[in-house]
Amino acid sequence: MKEVYRKRLVQHSSRGNRAGLFAALVLSCPLAAMADGGSVTGAVEVTPAKFLEETVIYLTDAPGKAAPKTVQMDQKGLRFLPHVLAVNIGDTVHFANHDAVNHNIFSPDQGGYNLGTFGAEQGKDHTFTKPGLYIQLCALHPEMQGFVFASPTPYSAVVDRDGKFTLANVPPGTYHVAVWNAHLKAPEQTVTVAAGKPAEVRFSLKR
């Protein structure tokens, strides 16, 4: 009887060790995948500087697909906040209204859409299925204007107040880096990303 109990205990311990090893492997896989990726960092100089906030950096031809997510663009103080939003194909934007007046959301770009009119503390959703720029307008307040940029790849970022940006977890390879700005243009650049290392690019946008 003691021998049977001992064998069962050994078998249970062995199964526990295997389960623990499997769990460790599963948990380590995402970390290993992240370690294999690099990043694209840099800065954008814009003249006039007032146009800096309307700048998005993105890779045009990197592989991969991001899991869809929902992000928010607010209507507050008769402004779109954030003024520029970068999303991936398949992402949904929740347009919220935190003003005390009615608002409308529409865009004429990429086939266009009109989400209708909605009141305070309400919102509307739109899922972006085509890459490109979508200007955001309100039919009730023509002075309002915002931008949603749907990137063709999962690697895009709106520059910060200093014009800096980081595209993280980029697979090793050589890609084209492009810049979008609401008023200015600059040619694409080529960047080579190595595993676990940053690759730097800089853009200068002028009239």
Side-chain angles (χ1 to χ4, degrees):
M1 185 69 178
K2 291 182 178 180
E3 182 63 19
V4 172
Y5 177 79
R6 187 187 67 80
K7 289 182 178 180
R8 288 180 178 176
L9 183 62
V10 170
Q11 290 172 353
H12 177 77
S13 176
S14 177
R15 287 196 297 270
N17 289 338
R18 289 197 298 270
L21 178 61
F22 177 76
L25 288 173
V26 170
L27 290 173
S28 66
C29 283
L31 297 177
M34 289 178 65
D36 288 340
S39 63
V40 178
T41 65
V44 179
E45 179 183 301
V46 175
T47 305
K50 65 180 181 179
F51 297 142
L52 177 62
E53 67 170 348
E54 299 178 345
T55 306
V56 176
I57 300 294
Y58 63 102
L59 300 184
T60 66
D61 51 356
K65 184 177 181 181
K69 63 183 182 299
T70 298
V71 295
Q72 181 167 294
M73 176 175 270
D74 203 352
Q75 290 172 295
K76 189 174 183 179
L78 298 183
R79 297 179 61 196
F80 285 99
L81 301 174
H83 182 57
V84 178
L85 183 64
V87 302
N88 298 321
I89 301 303
D91 285 353
T92 297
V93 175
H94 176 71
F95 295 97
N97 179 4
H98 285 109
D99 276 332
V101 297
N102 289 349
H103 277 307
N104 164 267
I105 289 284
F106 78 95
S107 176
D109 300 315
Q110 318 302 332
Y113 54 83
N114 191 325
L115 305 184
T117 299
F118 52 103
E121 304 303 324
Q122 296 181 343
K124 297 281 187 174
D125 292 345
H126 182 75
T127 299
F128 291 83
T129 59
K130 298 178 182 179
L133 171 69
Y134 297 79
I135 187 171
Q136 305 302 310
L137 301 168
C138 175
L140 303 179
H141 305 95
E143 70 276 17
M144 293 180 63
Q145 179 176 284
F147 301 95
V148 173
F149 184 86
S151 174
T153 70
Y155 307 101
S156 64
V158 180
V159 301
D160 66 14
R161 292 181 178 179
D162 298 319
K164 297 180 179 180
F165 64 89
T166 296
L167 307 179
N169 302 323
V170 179
T174 298
Y175 310 109
H176 292 95
V177 190
V179 57
W180 171 83
N181 182 279
H183 307 275
L184 309 170
K185 295 182 179 180
E188 294 182 0
Q189 297 187 33
T190 300
V191 64
T192 298
V193 178
K197 297 181 180 180
E200 186 174 348
V201 293
R202 290 182 175 272
F203 287 92
S204 179
L205 284 66
K206 299 179 180 180
R207 279 182 169 174

